[in-house]
Amino acid sequence: MATKDFDYKSFAQNLAQQAQEMVPQEFDDFQKQYVVNTLGNFAMLSGQTLAEDENLHFDAEQSVLITQIIAEWSFHKSVDVIRSGIPQQYWDPIMQKIAYTIFEIAKQTFSQGLPQDKILELIEHHVKKSYVEAITELKDKGAIDEGLMEFAASQSNMDKMAQDMQESAQAEAAPPQEGGELPMPVEPSGGAAVDFPKVDSKVLKLATVAMLFNKMKQDKVQTILNKFNPDDAETVIKFMQVPDLEKRVGTANALKCLQKIKTNLPKNTDLAPNKVVLRLRKFASTRSRKELDTLLITERIGVKRLVFNALEGNYYDKIPPKVASIVASHLCNSV
């Protein structure tokens, strides 16, 4: 039975529009558009299948949730793929493998009527597994080396966002409202944005942190909570136990809150990595990719990764800034 009352087109377009505000600012325009397009395309395709396939038996609420899960993981893993330094021509095959895995696991687990927390746990496990399998296949085919494979496998935008939110929550001075109440409006099923609720901003941030923590393994959650102010940690734990937290916060509100958290994060005062990135980008700006490959053919893999990460606006943090600065000077002065 198809889900005729699921407006998948509007929902997918809304998710893609919201994602534009969350793409890492260090990405260039092409990379940002890739993340948004990937999320939008996979949300549209999965939504269409759920809405029109007569062999599926999901209601509108289940269809919305499945599509949203695919969109969220498409966002996180496309960011991971870009940050990994894997060549662009391999991005789509990796993301297609992940999207297919999510859809199949979601269909199975929802059909079996498993609890939502178990569904999210299983999907997370299989997403990570399919991602590692995809980059391992690239290594086995000789498309990437083992060092790049390991670096790509270490990427986790979801964990990074959790860490960012933890730092922002700790930096907030105002205490949460007494009782931790969160009178959130329910978000429309079409995913349209609703106005920010009239509650203390820190309460909303902690509730959003709780939403993210509910999708993470509990050992990781506890490690992060141990660094929180005890009162904040207790509030987050209470929110994690609210059964309808995602509906009360709403996707649009959560995304707005995440953007606000990102804006308010403490700025990095160590400019050395940024300077290295700028110098290397200037060094490479007048050379083609083939010329760069020729210039770097005798360099170690770490140096190559430093250069190619810099081309994408990222700093390869496996090399200390002082060493990276020396490498940048060597490259700029050697040609």
Side-chain angles (χ1 to χ4, degrees):
M1 179 183 67
T3 311
K4 298 299 184 182
D5 55 344
F6 174 33
D7 185 2
Y8 69 89
K9 292 182 180 180
S10 296
F11 188 50
Q13 290 169 357
N14 187 266
L15 289 172
Q17 184 176 7
Q18 293 172 17
Q20 292 179 359
E21 302 178 3
M22 294 305 303
V23 180
Q25 292 303 304
E26 70 267 20
F27 282 8
D28 62 29
D29 290 343
F30 173 81
Q31 293 168 334
K32 291 178 180 178
Q33 200 58 49
Y34 179 83
V35 173
V36 173
N37 288 346
T38 299
L39 179 153
N41 290 340
F42 286 147
M44 187 74 72
L45 288 172
S46 61
Q48 182 178 14
T49 302
L50 291 164
E52 300 178 357
D53 192 334
E54 298 291 343
N55 296 317
L56 298 179
H57 304 279
F58 299 118
D59 59 29
E61 184 176 352
Q62 291 172 319
S63 298
V64 166
L65 185 54
I66 292 172
T67 303
Q68 184 171 325
I69 291 171
I70 289 175
E72 289 178 354
W73 276 114
S74 296
F75 176 87
H76 288 302
K77 298 316 291 182
S78 60
V79 169
D80 290 345
V81 166
I82 293 173
R83 283 177 171 158
S84 72
I86 290 175
Q88 178 190 329
Q89 64 263 37
Y90 303 117
W91 294 355
D92 282 349
I94 293 174
M95 294 306 304
Q96 289 164 5
K97 181 181 180 68
I98 291 172
Y100 174 80
T101 297
I102 299 171
F103 192 70
E104 291 302 310
I105 298 299
K107 284 196 304 181
Q108 295 174 25
T109 52
F110 275 91
S111 296
Q112 294 168 8
L114 297 181
Q116 185 171 321
D117 59 341
K118 185 63 176 178
I119 291 175
L120 295 176
E121 181 182 340
L122 286 170
I123 289 176
E124 179 180 3
H125 168 76
H126 285 282
V127 165
K128 292 179 177 179
K129 181 181 178 183
S130 62
Y131 175 64
V132 171
E133 288 176 349
I135 59 180
T136 300
E137 288 175 6
L138 290 177
K139 192 268 292 184
D140 292 341
K141 292 190 300 185
I144 61 176
D145 61 27
E146 186 169 356
L148 183 54
M149 180 194 72
E150 293 176 353
F151 180 70
S154 71
Q155 298 299 308
S156 178
N157 187 59
M158 178 173 282
D159 289 348
K160 184 178 185 301
M161 289 180 68
Q163 182 66 28
D164 289 348
M165 286 189 289
Q166 175 229 322
E167 293 174 358
S168 180
Q170 287 179 323
E172 283 282 352
Q177 288 183 338
E178 184 177 356
E181 292 298 325
L182 189 68
M184 300 292 182
V186 177
E187 184 181 49
S189 61
V194 295
D195 292 336
F196 254 120
K198 304 299 183 181
V199 297
D200 185 283
S201 63
K202 185 176 183 181
V203 173
L204 183 58
K205 289 178 182 179
L206 294 176
T208 306
V209 171
M211 285 178 56
L212 187 58
F213 281 1
N214 277 332
K215 299 181 181 182
M216 296 172 58
K217 293 187 180 299
Q218 292 307 302
D219 56 344
K220 289 186 177 180
V221 171
Q222 190 57 55
T223 299
I224 298 175
L225 281 175
N226 289 339
K227 301 177 182 179
F228 271 56
N229 173 284
D231 291 337
D232 292 345
E234 183 179 355
T235 301
V236 171
I237 292 172
K238 287 181 180 179
F239 280 140
M240 290 176 69
Q241 296 169 353
V242 175
D244 60 345
L245 180 62
E246 292 193 9
K247 288 184 178 180
R248 297 179 70 183
V249 174
T251 302
N253 283 335
L255 286 169
K256 288 181 180 179
C257 184
L258 289 171
Q259 180 61 32
K260 187 175 181 181
I261 289 173
K262 184 175 180 181
T263 301
N264 292 333
L265 283 174
K267 303 299 182 182
N268 183 10
T269 57
D270 182 6
L271 298 179
N274 295 338
K275 290 182 178 179
V276 170
V277 169
L278 291 174
R279 290 173 65 192
L280 289 174
R281 292 190 75 171
K282 183 177 180 180
F283 158 76
S285 63
T286 59
R287 296 169 177 82
S288 67
R289 180 60 182 257
K290 185 175 180 180
E291 289 173 328
L292 284 176
D293 287 336
T294 301
L295 289 170
L296 298 173
I297 193 169
T298 60
E299 299 290 348
R300 290 165 296 181
I301 184 63
V303 173
K304 294 178 182 178
R305 200 164 299 142
L306 177 69
V307 174
F308 290 120
N309 275 23
L311 286 177
E312 298 174 357
N314 301 322
Y315 179 71
Y316 179 54
D317 57 9
K318 300 296 183 182
I319 296 181
K322 186 173 182 179
V323 175
S325 180
I326 295 173
V327 171
S329 297
H330 163 73
L331 292 174
C332 292
N333 295 331
S334 62
V335 292

